[in-house]
């Protein structure tokens, strides 16, 4: 079952986040059994050559390769798709107009404005377009954003959302206003018939969130690697 099919069936699709600029670690995330692996261009140090290698490795490992692009503009979105992403996650979307802009960048004419010229054969065909709600302004327009024609999903970024709500980000999903925001976005997505997604930094939060969200990220490579190494050293030192 493809990622699109899994999301349309209600999920849950459980994925991992890849910020380390390495095809080896990206492949490891895929081989671990993730339904999708997101290469992060917004906060990760990924140049186009490294990104393409990571996308190839993720697909080769059996996961759907996605890219969180750096910004909501046609060039980075089109480039990610041309290099082989099965879809993009677009950050900091705060209105239906901004969501529509992201959708248009993912679609060829007449539905959109994406330029034709995929570097890899078949790259970016029928790509997923998912936008992020991670600010108070986006939250207030969740229904408008989710109802954007052609949009495939809305993905919540709890850390930036917490900051926007005047809170400090936490590893666990525990702030009541953030949990209330998750419910708001989930309801908006259910009404619009699009997939709802959420980013978890702690794998412990995934079981509860996957009961309602179709797309749930179980953590990122850098934090998980650091945690695993620290645990190994604690065990080694007794």
């Amino acid at each position: 079952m493809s990622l699109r099919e899994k999301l349309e069936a209600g999920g849950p699709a459980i994925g991992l986040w890849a910020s380390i600029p390495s095809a080896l670690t990206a492949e490891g995330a895929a081989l671990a059994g993730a339904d999708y692996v997101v290469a992060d261009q917004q906060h990760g140090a990924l140049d186009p050559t490294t990104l393409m290698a990571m996308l190839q490795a993720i697909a080769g490992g059996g996961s759907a390769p996605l890219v969180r692009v750096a910004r909501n503009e046609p060039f980075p979105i089109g480039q990610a798709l041309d290099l082989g992403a099965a879809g993009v996650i677009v950050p900091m979307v705060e209105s239906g107009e901004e969501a529509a802009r992201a959708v248009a960048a993912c679609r060829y004419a007449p539905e959109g404005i994406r330029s034709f010229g995929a570097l890899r054969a078949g790259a970016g065909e029928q790509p997923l377009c998912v936008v992020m709600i991670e600010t108070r302004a986006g939250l207030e327009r969740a229904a408008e954003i989710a109802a954007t024609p052609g949009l495939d999903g809305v993905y919540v970024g709890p850390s930036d959302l917490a900051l926007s709500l005047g809170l400090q980000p936490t590893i666990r999903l525990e702030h009541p206003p953030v949990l209330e925001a998750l419910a708001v976005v989930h309801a908006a997505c259910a009404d619009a018939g699009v997939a709802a997604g959420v980013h978890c930094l702690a794998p412990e939060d995934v079981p509860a969130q996957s009961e309602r969200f179709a797309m749930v990220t179980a953590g990122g490579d850098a934090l998980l690697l650091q945690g695993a190494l620290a645990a190994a050293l604690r065990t080694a030192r007794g």
Side-chain angles (χ1 to χ4, degrees):
M1 181 183 293
S2 70
L3 178 59
R4 176 180 290 280
E5 291 170 337
K6 193 157 195 171
L7 294 178
E8 290 177 348
I14 309 299
L16 292 168
W17 210 257
S19 299
I20 298 172
S22 167
L24 183 62
T25 53
E27 181 183 49
L31 291 173
D35 293 311
Y36 62 89
V37 178
V38 182
D40 188 3
Q41 282 197 302
Q42 185 185 23
H43 295 300
L46 312 183
D47 60 62
T49 301
T50 301
L51 177 61
M52 183 168 67
M54 290 174 69
L55 296 176
Q56 291 172 315
I58 293 165
S63 297
L66 305 179
V67 175
R68 197 257 293 269
V69 295
R71 55 194 178 278
N72 187 8
E73 293 180 2
F75 175 74
I77 292 173
Q79 183 180 62
L81 298 176
D82 288 348
L83 294 179
V88 294
I89 298 177
V90 182
M92 294 291 181
V93 169
E94 297 186 325
S95 67
E97 180 182 355
E98 291 181 6
R101 191 187 313 156
V103 171
C106 291
R107 314 290 182 225
Y108 294 122
E111 290 82 13
I113 60 170
R114 180 183 172 194
S115 177
F116 185 82
L119 181 61
R120 296 177 55 203
E125 294 181 354
Q126 299 295 317
L128 289 166
C129 181
V130 178
V131 300
M132 295 188 72
I133 286 180
E134 46 190 338
T135 64
R136 184 187 294 274
L139 180 62
E140 291 172 349
R141 294 181 172 179
E144 172 188 321
I145 291 169
T148 302
L151 187 68
D152 295 300
V154 178
Y155 185 91
V156 181
S159 294
D160 278 321
L161 183 57
L163 288 171
S164 183
L165 296 175
L167 305 166
Q168 285 301 307
T170 56
I171 296 296
R172 297 296 304 270
L173 294 174
E174 58 190 20
H175 287 308
V178 172
L179 296 175
E180 292 168 8
L182 294 182
V184 169
V185 174
H186 179 267
C189 289
D191 289 343
V194 299
V198 61
H199 192 90
C200 296
L201 292 175
E204 294 83 357
D205 283 324
V206 173
Q209 298 306 323
S210 62
E211 291 182 1
R212 56 178 178 168
F213 282 87
M215 182 180 188
V216 185
T217 298
D221 54 1
L223 192 60
L224 291 173
L225 176 60
Q226 182 181 1
L229 294 173
L233 288 171
R234 285 195 299 271
T235 300
R237 289 167 175 158

